[in-house]
Structures are given as C-alpha cells and as structure tokens.
Amino acid sequence: MQPNTLHTGSVAERIGFLNDRYRNHAAQAVLEHALNDSDVGNIAMVSSFGAESVVLLHMLSVIDRNIPVLFIDTQMLFEETLAYQTEVSQKLGLTDVRVIRAAPAAVAAHDPDGLLHKSDTDACCNIRKVVPLENALSKFDAWITGRKRFQGSTRAALDFFENEEDRRIKINPLAHWTPQDVQDYIINNRLPRHPLVAQGYPSIGCAPCTSRVAPGEDPRAGRWRDQDKEECGIHFVNGKIVRGPLPTVEDEPEMNTIVTDAGFAADEWTHGFVTPDTLGGGGAAAVAVDLASDADPAVLAGRLDGIDLIRVDFPSFADGRGFTLARRLRLMGFNGRLRAKGHVIADQYAMARRSGFDEVEISPELAKRQPQDQWLARANWQSHDYLNRLRGTA
Ligand code: SF4
C-alpha cells in the first residue's frame, strides 16, 4: 500500500532525513520503510529483470506485491529476459508489472532500422530507455533500484536514498550488499536465476550491447564492451547525469489519440503491450496484446480470458485483414477491449465497429487531418449496418 500522508519539504531535505533515519537499517527494512514513509511519497520499482533483479523483486513481493513494477522493454532485449520477466512476475505474484516501451513514432523517426546502437549508443539508450522511463516516472515521487556499491566506480558512494535532480527520490535498498549477499539471498530463497547467468552473463542488458564476461573480469565488463560507457543514462551520480543529455517529456512525440463513439480521448492504457510470444499465463494485473493484421487468432486460443485488450495493427488503409481478424476473435469468445491501430480512417470507423472493434488508435497527424466530428459522423455505426437497414431497424 502506498503511504497516504503527503510529504513536505524539498527533495534534498527529505533525502537528508531519510538517510539519517534509516542509515543503520538492513535492505529489507529500508525497502519496507520506504514503502510506508510519508517523506518518500508515491513509489514504483524499476526492474530490468536482469541477473540480480529477482532479489529486490522478491523482497517487494513479500512486503506488497501490488506496488507498480516498471520494466523497460527496449525491444532489443534477449528473448531469455522476456521469458524470465514473465516467469518471475508469475512466480512472485506481482500484480502491477508495467511494460514500458519507446513510442513507435520515436523509434520510426530516430532508429527505423534498429541499428542506432551501432553508431550512437547514447542516442539509442536515450530513445529506448531514458525517455520512456522518464515519462513513466513522471507520475511518481520516488523509485526503487537494485544498484549496489560494488557495481563500479560510478556507484561506489551510493546511499540508500538519492536526490535525483531535485525532482524525485531514488532508493537503493541493496546499496551496501556484496556479490555474496546476492548469491546467498537467491539460494536461500530458492529464486529462479536468469538463464543467461549460467552462460557467462553476470550483468544483462540489451542483446546487441551485452557480451559474455570471462572469469575474473568485472561483472559489468560485458556491458558496452570496449566503449567509454558505463551507464545507460537512466542513472545519475551525485545529482549529475553520467552520460547523454537529460531527457525531457517534450522529447517524446505527441501521444496517439483513441477514438470511440464518445469522441477523441487520450490513451489511458499505461500497462504496455506484449506479443503472443511473450504473453504469460497470468499474474499481471492488466494484460494487453499486440497482433499483426495477418496473425492467426488461434495463437491466443485458450488464453483470451486473461487478456484485457487486444490491439490489431493496420499497416495500410487498403489492408482489410484486421477487420477479419477482429471478427474471428469475437467469434472465438473474446470479450475484452478490441482496438484497431494505425492506418484506419474515419470512413472505416463504421466497418471497424461492425467487425467488433471498440476503439481506434490514430496518430496525432491523422487526428489533425480528420478531427473528431468526422469520426462522430460515423459513430452511430449500426445505422451503417446493412442488415439493420434491411430489417428497417436502423
Ligand atoms: S543498451 Fe544498446 S541496444 Fe539497448 S538501448 Fe542502449 S544502445 Fe540501444
């Protein structure tokens, strides 16, 4: 449960109080107090579901498994990480894991081929990690990280509570842990290991930027190997950014617009989307799945009851396969929200509704070209239904 007493004082003042108050506490106690101390405020955990993440996730699940956990899917991660995220979330019963991704428009504009990491890792991390996380964290007063002092020179003086640019509090309950403490905790609590640890990856990030580490090497030596880069830009040291420009919310392209029979609205879905391949068997509080227009709906057979929202991509205005897919999903018994996304225009709104879609997601550019009244003119979609017209009920 989040603390309900409002905190007062600047971030710097509260950091001072908190570090004094909990200086001699153990990691679990720091985490427990942080979740309940009014000087901390509204809080989320950020987890990479990497080599050591399961420790903090387990501690959180014991105290309060409903605290939001933000997982940044850079869309460059190892398949093993995506599978591990699902496995750990389910095993620990975490109810609010939110998958955070870069806005598709940002990726299309800056990294359309997915090769930016080869020429400019700072820019790639900025688009795929820093800006999406910054946007996700804008709703929170504080966030919990798994960073530890032993992880390198940039983290050697880490405190339990850090001042993040006078904007937020960063909490590092494991700051003083050693590698042995991590190992002992995982073994003693019989927690699942990330499968790549056994293959020589003691620190795991994106697949293109993570390599195996030889015995005796620094555990983080495989991250951005041979590059002058230690941090992705998410983390700051002593209030100063380590690499890359400070992201701003303005860096993020405008949000897409959701069209329903009630008109235009912002997209309130904040839980992220998974694919049929990464869809787990349950455990997350809210589940949304992205489907290509040519997907076989059978891939979701037996799993539809656990899905809250399915979003079908329309790659072009002329591609009608998404309408057929929607009908088939409804015939299979899907009762959740069904959303058409992409190249759908106002003239196709009635068709989308008849096919079973509840809503359409359109780009800011299309929303400007085809404003709300053009869509609402088709909102009485049943009047466009030829069967109703034949029956005289329209
Ligand atoms: S770690 Fe590599 S692939 Fe991942 S966001 Fe950063 S530069 Fe891109």
Side-chain angles (χ1 to χ4, degrees), residues 330-375:
R330 290 302 189 199
L331 285 172
M332 286 168 65
F334 178 60
N335 288 318
R337 281 164 63 186
L338 201 47
R339 178 187 295 182
K341 179 188 176 228
H343 294 272
V344 180
I345 56 176
D347 279 342
Q348 293 171 306
Y349 185 62
M351 165 75 90
R353 296 288 282 118
R354 283 200 304 274
S355 303
F357 284 109
D358 300 296
E359 59 203 44
V360 178
E361 179 179 338
I362 57 173
S363 67
E365 297 74 35
L366 182 57
K368 280 178 198 137
R369 281 204 313 277
Q370 298 202 318
Q372 177 173 277
D373 53 355
Q374 293 191 20
W375 294 82

mmCIF file of all heavy atoms in Angstrom, residues 330-375:
data_model
loop_
_atom_site.group_PDB
_atom_site.id
_atom_site.type_symbol
_atom_site.label_atom_id
_atom_site.label_comp_id
_atom_site.label_asym_id
_atom_site.label_seq_id
_atom_site.Cartn_x
_atom_site.Cartn_y
_atom_site.Cartn_z
ATOM 1 N N ARG A 330 -13.795 -12.180 -31.965
ATOM 2 C CA ARG A 330 -15.097 -12.113 -31.289
ATOM 3 C C ARG A 330 -15.806 -13.457 -31.370
ATOM 4 O O ARG A 330 -16.420 -13.901 -30.385
ATOM 5 C CB ARG A 330 -15.965 -11.011 -31.921
ATOM 6 C CG ARG A 330 -15.489 -9.585 -31.651
ATOM 7 C CD ARG A 330 -15.413 -9.270 -30.178
ATOM 8 N NE ARG A 330 -15.164 -7.857 -29.903
ATOM 9 C CZ ARG A 330 -14.698 -7.385 -28.758
ATOM 10 N NH1 ARG A 330 -14.382 -8.209 -27.760
ATOM 11 N NH2 ARG A 330 -14.513 -6.092 -28.575
ATOM 12 N N LEU A 331 -15.704 -14.128 -32.539
ATOM 13 C CA LEU A 331 -16.341 -15.449 -32.673
ATOM 14 C C LEU A 331 -15.698 -16.468 -31.736
ATOM 15 O O LEU A 331 -16.359 -17.409 -31.283
ATOM 16 C CB LEU A 331 -16.229 -15.938 -34.130
ATOM 17 C CG LEU A 331 -17.165 -15.242 -35.122
ATOM 18 C CD1 LEU A 331 -16.833 -15.658 -36.555
ATOM 19 C CD2 LEU A 331 -18.624 -15.574 -34.785
ATOM 20 N N MET A 332 -14.414 -16.273 -31.440
ATOM 21 C CA MET A 332 -13.739 -17.181 -30.504
ATOM 22 C C MET A 332 -14.132 -16.893 -29.059
ATOM 23 O O MET A 332 -13.711 -17.605 -28.141
ATOM 24 C CB MET A 332 -12.216 -17.049 -30.647
ATOM 25 C CG MET A 332 -11.656 -17.692 -31.899
ATOM 26 S SD MET A 332 -9.925 -17.196 -32.170
ATOM 27 C CE MET A 332 -9.108 -17.925 -30.756
ATOM 28 N N GLY A 333 -14.877 -15.810 -28.845
ATOM 29 C CA GLY A 333 -15.358 -15.514 -27.496
ATOM 30 C C GLY A 333 -14.600 -14.428 -26.772
ATOM 31 O O GLY A 333 -14.767 -14.270 -25.555
ATOM 32 N N PHE A 334 -13.772 -13.662 -27.481
ATOM 33 C CA PHE A 334 -13.039 -12.609 -26.793
ATOM 34 C C PHE A 334 -13.993 -11.480 -26.393
ATOM 35 O O PHE A 334 -14.651 -10.877 -27.240
ATOM 36 C CB PHE A 334 -11.919 -12.058 -27.679
ATOM 37 C CG PHE A 334 -11.163 -10.939 -27.020
ATOM 38 C CD1 PHE A 334 -10.489 -11.149 -25.818
ATOM 39 C CD2 PHE A 334 -11.136 -9.658 -27.571
ATOM 40 C CE1 PHE A 334 -9.806 -10.117 -25.184
ATOM 41 C CE2 PHE A 334 -10.450 -8.626 -26.952
ATOM 42 C CZ PHE A 334 -9.784 -8.858 -25.760
ATOM 43 N N ASN A 335 -14.052 -11.189 -25.099
ATOM 44 C CA ASN A 335 -14.977 -10.172 -24.585
ATOM 45 C C ASN A 335 -14.288 -8.913 -24.103
ATOM 46 O O ASN A 335 -14.937 -8.005 -23.609
ATOM 47 C CB ASN A 335 -15.800 -10.748 -23.418
ATOM 48 C CG ASN A 335 -16.814 -11.743 -23.914
ATOM 49 O OD1 ASN A 335 -17.456 -11.513 -24.945
ATOM 50 N ND2 ASN A 335 -16.941 -12.856 -23.216
ATOM 51 N N GLY A 336 -12.971 -8.884 -24.202
ATOM 52 C CA GLY A 336 -12.241 -7.695 -23.739
ATOM 53 C C GLY A 336 -12.296 -6.580 -24.775
ATOM 54 O O GLY A 336 -13.046 -6.635 -25.758
ATOM 55 N N ARG A 337 -11.491 -5.558 -24.528
ATOM 56 C CA ARG A 337 -11.453 -4.431 -25.462
ATOM 57 C C ARG A 337 -10.673 -4.831 -26.706
ATOM 58 O O ARG A 337 -9.637 -5.487 -26.637
ATOM 59 C CB ARG A 337 -10.762 -3.232 -24.815
ATOM 60 C CG ARG A 337 -11.639 -2.467 -23.868
ATOM 61 C CD ARG A 337 -10.839 -1.564 -22.969
ATOM 62 N NE ARG A 337 -10.121 -0.514 -23.683
ATOM 63 C CZ ARG A 337 -9.263 0.308 -23.094
ATOM 64 N NH1 ARG A 337 -9.012 0.170 -21.811
ATOM 65 N NH2 ARG A 337 -8.661 1.239 -23.789
ATOM 66 N N LEU A 338 -11.178 -4.352 -27.841
ATOM 67 C CA LEU A 338 -10.535 -4.640 -29.118
ATOM 68 C C LEU A 338 -10.252 -3.298 -29.793
ATOM 69 O O LEU A 338 -11.154 -2.480 -29.962
ATOM 70 C CB LEU A 338 -11.467 -5.499 -29.962
ATOM 71 C CG LEU A 338 -10.903 -6.338 -31.094
ATOM 72 C CD1 LEU A 338 -9.675 -7.124 -30.688
ATOM 73 C CD2 LEU A 338 -11.985 -7.299 -31.583
ATOM 74 N N ARG A 339 -8.984 -3.091 -30.124
ATOM 75 C CA ARG A 339 -8.583 -1.791 -30.654
ATOM 76 C C ARG A 339 -7.909 -1.945 -32.015
ATOM 77 O O ARG A 339 -7.046 -2.807 -32.180
ATOM 78 C CB ARG A 339 -7.601 -1.131 -29.679
ATOM 79 C CG ARG A 339 -7.080 0.205 -30.154
ATOM 80 C CD ARG A 339 -5.988 0.766 -29.260
ATOM 81 N NE ARG A 339 -6.433 1.087 -27.923
ATOM 82 C CZ ARG A 339 -5.641 1.631 -26.991
ATOM 83 N NH1 ARG A 339 -4.369 1.890 -27.272
ATOM 84 N NH2 ARG A 339 -6.103 1.906 -25.793
ATOM 85 N N ALA A 340 -8.321 -1.121 -32.977
ATOM 86 C CA ALA A 340 -7.632 -1.068 -34.273
ATOM 87 C C ALA A 340 -6.621 0.066 -34.208
ATOM 88 O O ALA A 340 -6.937 1.157 -33.732
ATOM 89 C CB ALA A 340 -8.639 -0.797 -35.388
ATOM 90 N N LYS A 341 -5.419 -0.203 -34.680
ATOM 91 C CA LYS A 341 -4.380 0.825 -34.571
ATOM 92 C C LYS A 341 -3.688 1.040 -35.904
ATOM 93 O O LYS A 341 -3.394 0.080 -36.612
ATOM 94 C CB LYS A 341 -3.333 0.393 -33.550
ATOM 95 C CG LYS A 341 -2.229 1.422 -33.436
ATOM 96 C CD LYS A 341 -1.090 0.956 -32.584
ATOM 97 C CE LYS A 341 -0.019 2.023 -32.631
ATOM 98 N NZ LYS A 341 1.294 1.515 -32.886
ATOM 99 N N GLY A 342 -3.428 2.268 -36.224
ATOM 100 C CA GLY A 342 -2.608 2.544 -37.399
ATOM 101 C C GLY A 342 -3.398 3.212 -38.493
ATOM 102 O O GLY A 342 -4.089 4.206 -38.279
ATOM 103 N N HIS A 343 -3.316 2.626 -39.685
ATOM 104 C CA HIS A 343 -3.901 3.269 -40.868
ATOM 105 C C HIS A 343 -5.379 2.942 -41.010
ATOM 106 O O HIS A 343 -5.792 2.213 -41.897
ATOM 107 C CB HIS A 343 -3.113 2.861 -42.117
ATOM 108 C CG HIS A 343 -1.726 3.387 -42.117
ATOM 109 N ND1 HIS A 343 -1.393 4.620 -42.613
ATOM 110 C CD2 HIS A 343 -0.576 2.864 -41.639
ATOM 111 C CE1 HIS A 343 -0.097 4.829 -42.464
ATOM 112 N NE2 HIS A 343 0.423 3.774 -41.873
ATOM 113 N N VAL A 344 -6.152 3.494 -40.102
ATOM 114 C CA VAL A 344 -7.609 3.402 -40.190
ATOM 115 C C VAL A 344 -8.107 4.833 -40.320
ATOM 116 O O VAL A 344 -7.635 5.716 -39.607
ATOM 117 C CB VAL A 344 -8.203 2.755 -38.923
ATOM 118 C CG1 VAL A 344 -9.721 2.669 -39.043
ATOM 119 C CG2 VAL A 344 -7.600 1.380 -38.691
ATOM 120 N N ILE A 345 -9.036 5.077 -41.231
ATOM 121 C CA ILE A 345 -9.532 6.438 -41.416
ATOM 122 C C ILE A 345 -10.999 6.521 -40.993
ATOM 123 O O ILE A 345 -11.650 5.493 -40.768
ATOM 124 C CB ILE A 345 -9.363 6.903 -42.886
ATOM 125 C CG1 ILE A 345 -10.049 5.926 -43.831
ATOM 126 C CG2 ILE A 345 -7.894 7.054 -43.232
ATOM 127 C CD1 ILE A 345 -10.012 6.364 -45.293
ATOM 128 N N ALA A 346 -11.491 7.746 -40.893
ATOM 129 C CA ALA A 346 -12.855 7.961 -40.388
ATOM 130 C C ALA A 346 -13.874 7.172 -41.202
ATOM 131 O O ALA A 346 -14.831 6.617 -40.642
ATOM 132 C CB ALA A 346 -13.185 9.451 -40.389
ATOM 133 N N ASP A 347 -13.693 7.102 -42.524
ATOM 134 C CA ASP A 347 -14.652 6.378 -43.355
ATOM 135 C C ASP A 347 -14.726 4.891 -42.997
ATOM 136 O O ASP A 347 -15.684 4.219 -43.364
ATOM 137 C CB ASP A 347 -14.254 6.502 -44.838
ATOM 138 C CG ASP A 347 -14.723 7.831 -45.410
ATOM 139 O OD1 ASP A 347 -15.611 8.448 -44.788
ATOM 140 O OD2 ASP A 347 -14.181 8.251 -46.444
ATOM 141 N N GLN A 348 -13.692 4.379 -42.343
ATOM 142 C CA GLN A 348 -13.677 2.956 -41.997
ATOM 143 C C GLN A 348 -14.174 2.703 -40.566
ATOM 144 O O GLN A 348 -14.171 1.564 -40.114
ATOM 145 C CB GLN A 348 -12.253 2.404 -42.142
ATOM 146 C CG GLN A 348 -11.762 2.384 -43.577
ATOM 147 C CD GLN A 348 -10.288 2.034 -43.643
ATOM 148 O OE1 GLN A 348 -9.451 2.663 -42.999
ATOM 149 N NE2 GLN A 348 -9.958 1.018 -44.421
ATOM 150 N N TYR A 349 -14.589 3.757 -39.875
ATOM 151 C CA TYR A 349 -14.945 3.600 -38.470
ATOM 152 C C TYR A 349 -16.148 2.668 -38.291
ATOM 153 O O TYR A 349 -16.147 1.779 -37.427
ATOM 154 C CB TYR A 349 -15.221 4.962 -37.841
ATOM 155 C CG TYR A 349 -15.478 4.878 -36.355
ATOM 156 C CD1 TYR A 349 -14.494 4.409 -35.484
ATOM 157 C CD2 TYR A 349 -16.713 5.236 -35.806
ATOM 158 C CE1 TYR A 349 -14.718 4.313 -34.122
ATOM 159 C CE2 TYR A 349 -16.945 5.146 -34.449
ATOM 160 C CZ TYR A 349 -15.952 4.684 -33.612
ATOM 161 O OH TYR A 349 -16.187 4.582 -32.256
ATOM 162 N N ALA A 350 -17.183 2.865 -39.135
ATOM 163 C CA ALA A 350 -18.374 2.008 -39.007
ATOM 164 C C ALA A 350 -18.009 0.546 -39.256
ATOM 165 O O ALA A 350 -18.464 -0.359 -38.544
ATOM 166 C CB ALA A 350 -19.460 2.465 -39.969
ATOM 167 N N MET A 351 -17.176 0.331 -40.262
ATOM 168 C CA MET A 351 -16.723 -1.041 -40.567
ATOM 169 C C MET A 351 -15.964 -1.624 -39.373
ATOM 170 O O MET A 351 -16.158 -2.782 -39.000
ATOM 171 C CB MET A 351 -15.813 -0.999 -41.799
ATOM 172 C CG MET A 351 -14.995 -2.237 -42.014
ATOM 173 S SD MET A 351 -15.957 -3.590 -42.657
ATOM 174 C CE MET A 351 -15.760 -3.298 -44.403
ATOM 175 N N ALA A 352 -15.112 -0.798 -38.761
ATOM 176 C CA ALA A 352 -14.349 -1.272 -37.605
ATOM 177 C C ALA A 352 -15.290 -1.665 -36.473
ATOM 178 O O ALA A 352 -15.138 -2.720 -35.853
ATOM 179 C CB ALA A 352 -13.381 -0.178 -37.142
ATOM 180 N N ARG A 353 -16.299 -0.842 -36.210
ATOM 181 C CA ARG A 353 -17.235 -1.149 -35.118
ATOM 182 C C ARG A 353 -18.034 -2.410 -35.424
ATOM 183 O O ARG A 353 -18.236 -3.246 -34.550
ATOM 184 C CB ARG A 353 -18.170 0.047 -34.886
ATOM 185 C CG ARG A 353 -17.470 1.290 -34.418
ATOM 186 C CD ARG A 353 -16.982 1.168 -32.959
ATOM 187 N NE ARG A 353 -18.069 1.360 -32.018
ATOM 188 C CZ ARG A 353 -18.500 0.451 -31.154
ATOM 189 N NH1 ARG A 353 -17.942 -0.734 -31.113
ATOM 190 N NH2 ARG A 353 -19.488 0.699 -30.316
ATOM 191 N N ARG A 354 -18.471 -2.556 -36.668
ATOM 192 C CA ARG A 354 -19.235 -3.764 -37.024
ATOM 193 C C ARG A 354 -18.377 -5.018 -36.925
ATOM 194 O O ARG A 354 -18.868 -6.104 -36.657
ATOM 195 C CB ARG A 354 -19.787 -3.658 -38.460
ATOM 196 C CG ARG A 354 -20.998 -2.753 -38.594
ATOM 197 C CD ARG A 354 -21.772 -3.071 -39.866
ATOM 198 N NE ARG A 354 -20.963 -2.993 -41.062
ATOM 199 C CZ ARG A 354 -20.736 -1.881 -41.754
ATOM 200 N NH1 ARG A 354 -21.243 -0.739 -41.324
ATOM 201 N NH2 ARG A 354 -19.996 -1.890 -42.834
ATOM 202 N N SER A 355 -17.090 -4.857 -37.126
ATOM 203 C CA SER A 355 -16.200 -6.026 -37.062
ATOM 204 C C SER A 355 -15.918 -6.449 -35.626
ATOM 205 O O SER A 355 -15.339 -7.506 -35.400
ATOM 206 C CB SER A 355 -14.867 -5.702 -37.735
ATOM 207 O OG SER A 355 -15.068 -5.306 -39.063
ATOM 208 N N GLY A 356 -16.293 -5.596 -34.689
ATOM 209 C CA GLY A 356 -16.079 -5.966 -33.293
ATOM 210 C C GLY A 356 -15.113 -5.070 -32.552
ATOM 211 O O GLY A 356 -14.893 -5.253 -31.351
ATOM 212 N N PHE A 357 -14.514 -4.086 -33.247
ATOM 213 C CA PHE A 357 -13.604 -3.176 -32.552
ATOM 214 C C PHE A 357 -14.405 -2.228 -31.659
ATOM 215 O O PHE A 357 -15.495 -1.769 -32.045
ATOM 216 C CB PHE A 357 -12.792 -2.341 -33.550
ATOM 217 C CG PHE A 357 -11.683 -3.115 -34.216
ATOM 218 C CD1 PHE A 357 -11.773 -3.471 -35.563
ATOM 219 C CD2 PHE A 357 -10.556 -3.479 -33.497
ATOM 220 C CE1 PHE A 357 -10.756 -4.182 -36.175
ATOM 221 C CE2 PHE A 357 -9.532 -4.191 -34.107
ATOM 222 C CZ PHE A 357 -9.638 -4.550 -35.451
ATOM 223 N N ASP A 358 -13.832 -1.928 -30.488
ATOM 224 C CA ASP A 358 -14.428 -0.944 -29.588
ATOM 225 C C ASP A 358 -13.864 0.446 -29.835
ATOM 226 O O ASP A 358 -14.500 1.440 -29.505
ATOM 227 C CB ASP A 358 -14.124 -1.307 -28.124
ATOM 228 C CG ASP A 358 -14.680 -2.658 -27.759
ATOM 229 O OD1 ASP A 358 -15.903 -2.806 -27.774
ATOM 230 O OD2 ASP A 358 -13.875 -3.580 -27.480
ATOM 231 N N GLU A 359 -12.656 0.503 -30.340
ATOM 232 C CA GLU A 359 -11.970 1.787 -30.428
ATOM 233 C C GLU A 359 -10.899 1.732 -31.507
ATOM 234 O O GLU A 359 -10.504 0.643 -31.957
ATOM 235 C CB GLU A 359 -11.325 2.123 -29.086
ATOM 236 C CG GLU A 359 -10.317 1.087 -28.629
ATOM 237 C CD GLU A 359 -10.095 1.086 -27.126
ATOM 238 O OE1 GLU A 359 -11.089 1.156 -26.373
ATOM 239 O OE2 GLU A 359 -8.917 1.003 -26.709
ATOM 240 N N VAL A 360 -10.450 2.906 -31.900
ATOM 241 C CA VAL A 360 -9.394 3.020 -32.917
ATOM 242 C C VAL A 360 -8.302 3.932 -32.362
ATOM 243 O O VAL A 360 -8.605 4.944 -31.725
ATOM 244 C CB VAL A 360 -9.966 3.613 -34.227
ATOM 245 C CG1 VAL A 360 -8.868 3.787 -35.254
ATOM 246 C CG2 VAL A 360 -11.072 2.728 -34.775
ATOM 247 N N GLU A 361 -7.057 3.550 -32.577
ATOM 248 C CA GLU A 361 -5.933 4.381 -32.130
ATOM 249 C C GLU A 361 -5.289 5.020 -33.351
ATOM 250 O O GLU A 361 -4.828 4.331 -34.250
ATOM 251 C CB GLU A 361 -4.907 3.510 -31.383
ATOM 252 C CG GLU A 361 -3.692 4.290 -30.906
ATOM 253 C CD GLU A 361 -2.699 3.408 -30.151
ATOM 254 O OE1 GLU A 361 -3.103 2.336 -29.632
ATOM 255 O OE2 GLU A 361 -1.513 3.780 -30.082
ATOM 256 N N ILE A 362 -5.273 6.352 -33.373
ATOM 257 C CA ILE A 362 -4.738 7.046 -34.550
ATOM 258 C C ILE A 362 -3.610 7.988 -34.143
ATOM 259 O O ILE A 362 -3.506 8.397 -32.992
ATOM 260 C CB ILE A 362 -5.843 7.839 -35.294
ATOM 261 C CG1 ILE A 362 -6.512 8.844 -34.362
ATOM 262 C CG2 ILE A 362 -6.869 6.892 -35.891
ATOM 263 C CD1 ILE A 362 -7.497 9.775 -35.066
ATOM 264 N N SER A 363 -2.779 8.318 -35.112
ATOM 265 C CA SER A 363 -1.628 9.187 -34.851
ATOM 266 C C SER A 363 -2.098 10.627 -34.666
ATOM 267 O O SER A 363 -3.186 11.013 -35.118
ATOM 268 C CB SER A 363 -0.662 9.114 -36.031
ATOM 269 O OG SER A 363 -1.282 9.707 -37.168
ATOM 270 N N PRO A 364 -1.253 11.458 -34.042
ATOM 271 C CA PRO A 364 -1.611 12.873 -33.884
ATOM 272 C C PRO A 364 -1.831 13.545 -35.239
ATOM 273 O O PRO A 364 -2.716 14.396 -35.385
ATOM 274 C CB PRO A 364 -0.394 13.474 -33.166
ATOM 275 C CG PRO A 364 0.300 12.323 -32.528
ATOM 276 C CD PRO A 364 0.017 11.127 -33.384
ATOM 277 N N GLU A 365 -1.049 13.137 -36.249
ATOM 278 C CA GLU A 365 -1.190 13.752 -37.571
ATOM 279 C C GLU A 365 -2.568 13.446 -38.165
ATOM 280 O O GLU A 365 -3.248 14.318 -38.699
ATOM 281 C CB GLU A 365 -0.109 13.247 -38.535
ATOM 282 C CG GLU A 365 1.321 13.601 -38.137
ATOM 283 C CD GLU A 365 1.829 12.767 -36.971
ATOM 284 O OE1 GLU A 365 1.463 11.577 -36.879
ATOM 285 O OE2 GLU A 365 2.566 13.315 -36.126
ATOM 286 N N LEU A 366 -2.986 12.168 -38.058
ATOM 287 C CA LEU A 366 -4.296 11.799 -38.607
ATOM 288 C C LEU A 366 -5.417 12.489 -37.824
ATOM 289 O O LEU A 366 -6.421 12.920 -38.395
ATOM 290 C CB LEU A 366 -4.472 10.276 -38.577
ATOM 291 C CG LEU A 366 -5.784 9.754 -39.179
ATOM 292 C CD1 LEU A 366 -5.963 10.208 -40.619
ATOM 293 C CD2 LEU A 366 -5.856 8.236 -39.098
ATOM 294 N N ALA A 367 -5.228 12.608 -36.493
ATOM 295 C CA ALA A 367 -6.253 13.274 -35.680
ATOM 296 C C ALA A 367 -6.411 14.726 -36.114
ATOM 297 O O ALA A 367 -7.515 15.275 -36.056
ATOM 298 C CB ALA A 367 -5.879 13.186 -34.202
ATOM 299 N N LYS A 368 -5.314 15.337 -36.569
ATOM 300 C CA LYS A 368 -5.419 16.731 -37.028
ATOM 301 C C LYS A 368 -6.110 16.787 -38.390
ATOM 302 O O LYS A 368 -6.940 17.658 -38.646
ATOM 303 C CB LYS A 368 -4.016 17.354 -37.131
ATOM 304 C CG LYS A 368 -3.476 17.796 -35.786
ATOM 305 C CD LYS A 368 -2.082 18.365 -35.879
ATOM 306 C CE LYS A 368 -1.450 18.361 -34.492
ATOM 307 N NZ LYS A 368 -0.084 17.919 -34.439
ATOM 308 N N ARG A 369 -5.749 15.837 -39.267
ATOM 309 C CA ARG A 369 -6.339 15.840 -40.618
ATOM 310 C C ARG A 369 -7.820 15.466 -40.590
ATOM 311 O O ARG A 369 -8.610 15.965 -41.368
ATOM 312 C CB ARG A 369 -5.599 14.831 -41.509
ATOM 313 C CG ARG A 369 -4.279 15.317 -42.061
ATOM 314 C CD ARG A 369 -3.909 14.566 -43.338
ATOM 315 N NE ARG A 369 -4.052 13.135 -43.258
ATOM 316 C CZ ARG A 369 -3.144 12.309 -42.753
ATOM 317 N NH1 ARG A 369 -2.028 12.790 -42.284
ATOM 318 N NH2 ARG A 369 -3.351 11.013 -42.723
ATOM 319 N N GLN A 370 -8.159 14.525 -39.702
ATOM 320 C CA GLN A 370 -9.549 14.065 -39.609
ATOM 321 C C GLN A 370 -10.028 14.287 -38.180
ATOM 322 O O GLN A 370 -9.957 13.378 -37.345
ATOM 323 C CB GLN A 370 -9.637 12.581 -39.973
ATOM 324 C CG GLN A 370 -9.196 12.296 -41.400
ATOM 325 C CD GLN A 370 -9.768 11.000 -41.918
ATOM 326 O OE1 GLN A 370 -9.806 10.011 -41.207
ATOM 327 N NE2 GLN A 370 -10.222 11.011 -43.156
ATOM 328 N N PRO A 371 -10.508 15.483 -37.872
ATOM 329 C CA PRO A 371 -10.870 15.794 -36.489
ATOM 330 C C PRO A 371 -12.087 14.993 -36.009
ATOM 331 O O PRO A 371 -12.753 14.293 -36.777
ATOM 332 C CB PRO A 371 -11.127 17.297 -36.509
ATOM 333 C CG PRO A 371 -11.363 17.634 -37.935
ATOM 334 C CD PRO A 371 -10.640 16.631 -38.755
ATOM 335 N N GLN A 372 -12.371 15.173 -34.738
ATOM 336 C CA GLN A 372 -13.362 14.342 -34.049
ATOM 337 C C GLN A 372 -14.713 14.289 -34.760
ATOM 338 O O GLN A 372 -15.325 13.218 -34.843
ATOM 339 C CB GLN A 372 -13.522 14.906 -32.632
ATOM 340 C CG GLN A 372 -14.550 14.235 -31.781
ATOM 341 C CD GLN A 372 -14.501 14.754 -30.366
ATOM 342 O OE1 GLN A 372 -13.698 14.291 -29.576
ATOM 343 N NE2 GLN A 372 -15.369 15.705 -30.047
ATOM 344 N N ASP A 373 -15.181 15.448 -35.292
ATOM 345 C CA ASP A 373 -16.538 15.439 -35.862
ATOM 346 C C ASP A 373 -16.641 14.513 -37.069
ATOM 347 O O ASP A 373 -17.697 13.946 -37.347
ATOM 348 C CB ASP A 373 -17.020 16.860 -36.198
ATOM 349 C CG ASP A 373 -16.058 17.616 -37.077
ATOM 350 O OD1 ASP A 373 -14.970 17.063 -37.350
ATOM 351 O OD2 ASP A 373 -16.380 18.743 -37.486
ATOM 352 N N GLN A 374 -15.519 14.310 -37.784
ATOM 353 C CA GLN A 374 -15.565 13.390 -38.928
ATOM 354 C C GLN A 374 -15.770 11.951 -38.456
ATOM 355 O O GLN A 374 -16.413 11.154 -39.132
ATOM 356 C CB GLN A 374 -14.282 13.494 -39.751
ATOM 357 C CG GLN A 374 -14.132 14.839 -40.442
ATOM 358 C CD GLN A 374 -13.004 14.822 -41.455
ATOM 359 O OE1 GLN A 374 -12.571 13.775 -41.918
ATOM 360 N NE2 GLN A 374 -12.522 16.010 -41.812
ATOM 361 N N TRP A 375 -15.197 11.623 -37.319
ATOM 362 C CA TRP A 375 -15.374 10.272 -36.773
ATOM 363 C C TRP A 375 -16.767 10.127 -36.166
ATOM 364 O O TRP A 375 -17.435 9.110 -36.352
ATOM 365 C CB TRP A 375 -14.300 9.972 -35.726
ATOM 366 C CG TRP A 375 -12.924 9.914 -36.299
ATOM 367 C CD1 TRP A 375 -12.104 10.962 -36.578
ATOM 368 C CD2 TRP A 375 -12.207 8.745 -36.704
ATOM 369 N NE1 TRP A 375 -10.915 10.533 -37.118
ATOM 370 C CE2 TRP A 375 -10.942 9.171 -37.194
ATOM 371 C CE3 TRP A 375 -12.487 7.376 -36.679
ATOM 372 C CZ2 TRP A 375 -9.990 8.273 -37.675
ATOM 373 C CZ3 TRP A 375 -11.526 6.481 -37.143
ATOM 374 C CH2 TRP A 375 -10.298 6.936 -37.642
#
